[in-house]
Amino acid sequence: MGDSYIILKTTALKNGSLRHDIHYWIGKDTSQDEAGTAAILTVELDAALGGRAVQYREIQGNETEKFLSYFRPCIMPQPGGVASGFKHVEVNNLDHETRLYVCHGKHVVHVKEVPFARSSLNHDDIFILDTKFKIFQFNGSNSSIQERAKALEVVQYIKDTFHEGKCEIASVEDGRMMADAEAGEFWGFFGGFAPLPRRAPAEGNEKHEETAFKLLCFDQGKLEPVNFESLAHELLETNKCYLLDCGAELYVWMGRTTALQERKGASEAAEKLLSDSNRTKTHIIKVIEGFETVMFKSKFKEWPQTPDLKLSSEDGRGKVAALLKRQGLNVKGLMKAAPAKEEPQSYIDCTGNLQVWRVNDKDKALLSSSDQSKLYTGDCYIFQYTYPGDDKEECLIGTWFGKKSIEEDRVTAVSLASKMVESAKFQAVQARLYEGKEPIQFFVIFQSLQVFKGGLSSGYKKFIAENGIDDDSYSEEGLALFRVQGSGPENMQAIQVEPVASSLNSSYCYILHDGNAVFTWAGNLTTALDQELMERQLDVIKPNTQSRSQKEGSETDQFWSLLGGKSEYSSQKVVRELESDPHLFSCILLKAVEQVKEIHHFTQDDLMTEDVFILDCHTSIFVWVGQQVDVKVRLQALDVGEKFVVLDFLMENLARKTPIFTVTEGNEPPFFTRFFTWDSTKSLMHGNSYQRKLAIVKGGGAPALDKPKRRTPVYSGRSTTQDKSQRSRSMSFSPERVRVRGRSPAFTALAANFENSSNRNLSTPPPVVKKLYPKSLTPDSSNNKSSAIAALAGSLDRPTQNLTPESVKGKFCAN
């Protein structure tokens, strides 16, 4: 309490850069000189790191949630100070002093020691009484379940830290009389039970009055007010520093071209401004131009999209390493380069069963197994994918909206899919997907996909007729051009594009046909794999038809004639948006999703069963709904996700068509749990967040629900029994063709080593293999084929001679 500290938090981001957050913490007994020095040293530390850190002033007892998230479950500052006149108080377990603490917070806990007296207690807060042999948690009647659960983490921390894990724990509810043994023991420390008085509204935490924002320019050592009608980004000049006073926060904005002395002066001016007005609880947050926080940018009427001003991760690591080395710290390992970017993984079992419906005339029509991978851009579809999980059949129910589908069909699709999810007792994950923004999970469960122009639904046909639009729906006998894309046999698509030369791209392969005249075209930048996928798609679009191969630069006149003549075209591959670092938000549901709060450095324990949370990783949005959430709110989960996308809380230009998944507690798929260190048993516990945590803290854990048995999916209201060819995830496209879907020549050669005639028929479902995530063979593993096969056999717990190529496909997706 008698010291000041500087905390540097460095985070490696997925884009390869480093983010720095610097906090300077001021103990309540620290000297004014020390506090001022901490503020100046923070500015100098930022300059040493390249001038891009966000700096926060943290006052003891009024720390930001971001700061407290570094020190979960709490910080409990100790009396005294280092190398100062204060006497450091040593903890003596033999002479334990009874202490009373008050706790606030649903997501992180503010802990403050208060006088050990009845007058400290109230109905609104949670109190922890730490005695020699027992720790009591007193829950004020007006406190929330979530706050009570978080306070129990502090109880556990006190038990482990100050009692070496050896003491009893008791919970006391506000209003319990002396008849309750634990309540009676608790009140005995206060001289017996007596009703608590109502706390006056003026007491408690200071509340900042709503005040108009003030903008002050720091120029030549003086603060000058800046007049404005609306707070605009243009008011900030890059060669100056500014103070933005928002009441609860005071921001210091430092232009990129300002000198270090100028920044120090602005920092001192901010400290003096708050000191002169005795505003002890206002947070000071310092930002550098180009690295502003979302909260700072949100104060302005508009904030322009600017390119990221970031140093390379190697440069950032070098600066951090040099800084720490000067302090005599070991920096071994800090200079390691960031790992190379890998192909995105799907994190979903690829051996499941798929059903697809086309939305038509306010109903849905089930597609045959041969048509379920053929989608039209003017239609809407519902898909249901069931796959084996750890203890039950997992299910993903989703809607896919074609780019030219009509609004009426989209509304119908969402309504029908939501009813399927509701009939499944919300145990299925629901997805809302748009053409062109599909996540990798969608492509992997379809494996081979074709998207045609036009539409077949009656609503689409009626719409184009009423608006005088030509029907350009795909015809096998007509002229059509397809771009082929994908990363392998388990993820490949053929997308119909305009049949003109400008649609070509040197980075892709194409299929062009006009009736029975079929051409394949390979760009100069394509790989052998790209050309392999083109051949596979040709099996579907034009099976048993002879094609004429065209290489870029040596095309025939007939090829160009079909495309209407030569023209310029691109060579740049279409780059899909990259997944960003995930952000978790708690969401309070009102008429609009307005109360959104970020949870910093989140863990699975932050997902409380009473609440709704949103996980934003930019390329997808997940809405997580706890078991204790009301059914009416569960039905609104998709709407919550859509409103969050519109809100764009992180100001990251979220596309309106961003994929949205709704996930209920206990039914989280691997492509959601991968963002956490996940323990699936936590969702099997009885009770609310507080009851679950109390059972764990008191020892012995909470009683778990019976493990769910694997269920037969009945979500659609139809029988899900499929013919053998539909259930197989490796069926052949055409009986006359030799090549089998999902099997490259390399795979076929590998499988031939242990394939025999007594195996199960290839059209029957493969043996259940849990957690099959498609991966290619590594160079090392492919060098030793026999050992790879032996290792695979062991992992499947089956004799080698019983393996089939299909049962192994998820493990060996080699080309």
Side-chain angles (χ1 to χ4, degrees):
M1 297 183 187
D3 292 324
S4 296
Y5 296 83
I6 295 175
I7 295 89
L8 169 63
K9 171 65 175 175
T10 300
T11 307
L13 303 179
K14 285 191 174 183
N15 64 10
S17 65
L18 298 177
R19 184 185 68 219
H20 302 299
D21 292 293
I22 307 174
H23 304 254
Y24 58 106
W25 184 87
I26 312 298
K28 72 180 184 65
D29 295 328
T30 194
S31 68
Q32 194 65 40
D33 286 345
E34 238 179 45
T37 301
I40 298 303
L41 288 174
T42 299
V43 178
E44 293 180 355
L45 176 58
D46 170 53
L49 293 171
R52 53 183 170 157
V54 180
Q55 305 161 47
Y56 304 83
R57 183 181 77 153
E58 308 284 353
I59 301 297
Q60 181 182 338
N62 193 46
E63 296 87 356
T64 61
E65 291 201 357
K66 186 167 193 170
F67 177 81
L68 291 176
S69 71
Y70 304 148
F71 303 101
R72 296 191 184 211
C74 64
I75 59 171
M76 302 179 73
Q78 299 301 300
V82 178
S84 70
F86 292 96
K87 183 181 178 183
H88 185 71
V89 179
E90 297 291 341
V91 177
N92 187 346
N93 290 327
L94 297 177
D95 187 21
H96 187 90
E97 181 180 350
T98 299
R99 297 176 183 271
L100 183 65
Y101 302 93
V102 62
C103 299
H104 306 278
K106 283 177 61 174
H107 306 298
V108 293
V109 188
H110 292 263
V111 179
K112 179 183 178 183
E113 186 175 355
V114 294
F116 173 33
R118 184 199 306 276
S119 59
S120 296
L121 303 174
N122 62 61
H123 297 290
D124 300 317
D125 296 319
I126 297 160
F127 295 85
I128 296 173
L129 180 64
D130 178 20
T131 70
K132 188 172 184 178
F133 299 109
K134 186 176 284 191
I135 303 172
F136 297 86
Q137 176 168 314
F138 174 81
N139 300 315
S141 56
N142 297 331
S143 62
S144 69
I145 291 172
Q146 297 92 325
E147 286 180 303
R148 298 177 186 188
K150 278 295 174 186
L152 279 170
E153 295 179 8
V154 179
V155 170
Q156 183 68 53
Y157 173 76
I158 293 173
K159 176 182 177 180
D160 294 340
T161 306
F162 302 107
H163 296 267
E164 298 179 348
K166 300 173 183 176
C167 73
E168 294 183 48
I169 290 173
S171 63
V172 178
E173 298 302 318
D174 186 6
R176 278 192 190 171
M177 299 298 118
M178 297 289 286
D180 183 281
E182 290 183 338
E185 189 177 356
F186 171 80
W187 287 111
F189 285 95
F190 296 92
F193 174 81
L196 299 177
R198 294 279 175 189
R199 188 168 69 177
E203 293 183 26
N205 296 333
E206 291 180 11
K207 291 187 178 180
H208 296 275
E209 296 180 5
E210 290 293 328
T211 56
F213 294 168
K214 296 177 183 177
L215 184 65
L216 305 167
C217 178
F218 182 77
D219 190 18
Q220 297 182 353
K222 294 182 180 180
L223 288 175
E224 298 291 341
V226 178
N227 297 319
F228 58 87
E229 290 186 4
S230 64
L231 193 57
H233 172 264
E234 291 73 23
L235 294 170
L236 305 175
E237 297 180 30
T238 190
N239 62 340
K240 294 181 181 178
C241 293
Y242 294 84
L243 273 62
L244 179 61
D245 191 348
C246 303
E249 304 94 16
L250 176 62
Y251 290 94
V252 181
W253 184 88
M254 296 171 274
R256 291 296 303 173
T257 61
T258 53
L260 179 58
Q261 285 304 119
E262 191 78 2
R263 297 180 184 184
K264 286 183 179 180
S267 179
E268 290 174 333
E271 298 279 348
K272 187 175 186 303
L273 178 66
L274 296 187
S275 178
D276 291 347
S277 54
N278 198 29
R279 290 163 59 183
T280 57
K281 293 197 172 183
T282 297
H283 292 120
I284 295 178
I285 304 171
K286 307 172 200 174
V287 295
I288 308 292
E289 180 184 2
F291 299 94
E292 298 88 351
T293 65
V294 170
M295 291 306 296
F296 176 80
K297 292 189 282 189
S298 69
K299 308 296 182 185
F300 290 76
K301 183 179 180 182
E302 289 182 353
W303 193 271
Q305 288 295 320
T306 53
D308 289 339
L309 299 172
K310 64 187 180 214
L311 301 175
S312 71
S313 58
E314 287 76 17
D315 189 13
R317 282 188 179 87
K319 288 181 179 293
V320 175
L323 182 74
L324 298 181
K325 201 168 184 180
R326 288 200 297 270
Q327 302 295 325
L329 298 175
N330 182 9
V331 295
K332 185 179 180 182
L334 187 61
M335 291 303 295
K336 287 182 180 178
K341 291 181 180 177
E342 299 177 354
E343 282 289 321
Q345 292 193 33
S346 61
Y347 296 95
I348 191 169
D349 190 303
C350 64
T351 65
N353 295 323
L354 176 67
Q355 288 182 292
V356 183
W357 294 261
R358 180 184 295 111
V359 173
N360 188 47
D361 196 21
K362 296 187 177 181
D363 201 356
K364 64 182 191 293
L366 181 65
L367 301 183
S368 67
S369 59
S370 60
D371 288 337
Q372 66 181 14
S373 66
K374 300 175 180 178
L375 309 183
Y376 285 79
T377 193
D379 293 336
C380 293
Y381 297 83
I382 299 170
F383 61 91
Q384 173 182 293
Y385 182 64
T386 55
Y387 57 98
D390 287 336
D391 301 299
K392 61 181 180 181
E393 203 81 71
E394 302 292 346
C395 183
L396 171 63
I397 296 174
T399 53
W400 182 88
F401 301 152
K403 286 181 179 178
K404 295 187 177 180
S405 60
I406 63 173
E407 184 62 27
E408 184 180 355
D409 283 351
R410 294 180 181 185
V411 172
T412 300
V414 171
S415 175
L416 293 174
S418 296
K419 288 177 181 177
M420 292 167 67
V421 173
E422 188 177 1
S423 69
K425 299 181 180 178
F426 300 98
Q427 293 180 34
V429 174
Q430 185 172 0
R432 186 219 64 179
L433 310 177
Y434 284 88
E435 179 186 354
K437 284 284 186 179
E438 302 92 343
I440 190 172
Q441 290 80 18
F442 178 80
F443 291 138
V444 167
I445 65 177
F446 275 84
Q447 295 195 356
S448 175
L449 183 69
Q450 300 81 44
V451 179
F452 300 108
K453 297 179 70 173
L456 303 180
S457 72
S458 59
Y460 173 77
K461 297 291 188 185
K462 180 181 178 183
F463 174 81
I464 60 174
E466 291 177 347
N467 290 274
I469 302 172
D470 292 336
D471 189 351
D472 62 351
S473 296
Y474 172 71
S475 168
E476 291 184 9
E477 303 305 318
L479 176 64
L481 178 67
F482 293 88
R483 183 182 73 241
V484 179
Q485 61 190 35
S487 60
E490 76 288 347
N491 172 15
M492 54 180 177
Q493 305 88 44
I495 313 296
Q496 187 178 0
V497 295
E498 288 294 322
V500 293
S502 59
S503 295
L504 298 176
N505 187 312
S506 302
S507 296
Y508 293 93
C509 293
Y510 290 80
I511 298 170
L512 173 66
H513 75 69
D514 185 14
N516 288 327
V518 182
F519 295 86
T520 60
W521 184 86
N524 287 333
L525 301 180
T526 59
T527 64
L529 173 61
D530 295 327
Q531 294 161 32
E532 162 89 0
L533 299 186
M534 176 179 64
E535 290 294 326
R536 289 170 178 267
Q537 289 299 316
L538 191 60
D539 289 348
V540 185
I541 296 171
K542 281 290 181 180
N544 310 314
T545 304
Q546 188 68 33
S547 63
R548 297 173 61 183
S549 176
Q550 308 281 300
K551 291 286 186 181
E552 182 178 5
S554 58
E555 300 88 350
T556 63
D557 291 340
Q558 184 185 1
F559 176 82
W560 289 122
S561 176
L562 289 176
L563 294 179
K566 294 182 180 181
S567 70
E568 291 189 0
Y569 52 82
S570 175
S571 62
Q572 298 295 316
K573 199 157 192 173
V574 178
V575 179
R576 298 182 68 88
E577 284 188 304
L578 296 176
E579 183 177 274
S580 66
D581 297 271
H583 295 260
L584 183 68
F585 300 88
S586 67
C587 183
I588 298 177
L589 300 184
L590 301 170
K591 292 182 180 178
V593 185
E594 294 175 349
Q595 294 193 25
V596 174
K597 191 172 189 178
E598 183 168 5
I599 314 299
H600 300 285
H601 304 98
F602 60 85
T603 66
Q604 182 184 354
D605 288 338
D606 288 310
L607 300 174
M608 293 199 167
T609 187
E610 299 80 19
D611 291 333
V612 175
F613 291 85
I614 294 174
L615 186 71
D616 177 4
C617 59
H618 187 67
T619 52
S620 295
I621 301 294
F622 297 88
V623 182
W624 184 92
V625 184
Q627 291 176 356
Q628 303 281 326
V629 171
D630 186 79
V631 173
K632 291 181 179 179
V633 176
R634 293 188 189 190
L635 293 170
Q636 300 172 16
L638 202 58
D639 293 335
V640 171
E642 291 179 342
K643 289 174 182 177
F644 180 85
V645 169
V646 173
L647 183 66
D648 193 11
F649 186 84
L650 292 175
M651 300 177 72
E652 56 182 334
N653 270 349
L654 264 183
R656 294 290 180 93
K657 297 181 179 181
T658 300
I660 298 174
F661 296 89
T662 65
V663 179
T664 55
E665 182 183 7
N667 301 286
E668 296 89 351
F671 54 89
F672 173 81
T673 59
R674 67 189 177 95
F675 295 105
F676 303 80
T677 300
W678 196 261
D679 180 358
S680 59
T681 61
K682 290 184 177 180
S683 62
L684 299 177
M685 298 170 67
H686 288 294
N688 58 38
S689 298
Y690 173 66
Q691 292 166 337
R692 296 179 186 183
K693 190 82 71 175
L694 183 62
I696 294 172
V697 170
K698 282 195 170 184
L705 296 170
D706 293 333
K707 283 193 174 182
K709 297 178 181 179
R710 181 165 292 178
R711 60 178 183 273
T712 302
V714 291
Y715 311 130
S716 63
R718 299 171 180 261
S719 169
T720 57
T721 303
Q722 300 168 309
D723 58 43
K724 292 180 180 180
S725 63
Q726 185 173 350
R727 285 178 58 88
S728 173
R729 302 293 292 156
S730 299
M731 60 191 176
S732 171
F733 286 132
S734 171
E736 289 78 22
R737 305 287 287 192
V738 176
R739 178 172 293 156
V740 179
R741 174 190 178 200
R743 297 175 64 185
S744 68
F747 173 80
T748 304
L750 176 64
N753 285 275
F754 46 85
E755 189 172 293
N756 64 55
S757 58
S758 64
N759 287 337
R760 62 167 69 230
N761 189 288
L762 293 184
S763 64
T764 59
V768 173
V769 182
K770 297 179 182 177
K771 302 298 180 190
L772 283 185
Y773 305 130
K775 289 184 179 179
S776 297
L777 280 172
T778 63
D780 291 338
S781 61
S782 62
N783 289 337
N784 192 343
K785 185 161 59 180
S786 60
S787 63
I789 295 170
L792 175 65
S795 68
L796 295 176
D797 294 324
R798 295 173 62 87
T800 303
Q801 62 268 24
N802 290 336
L803 289 171
T804 69
E806 271 56 37
S807 71
V808 191
K809 195 185 84 177
K811 289 281 185 184
F812 285 87
C813 290
N815 266 283

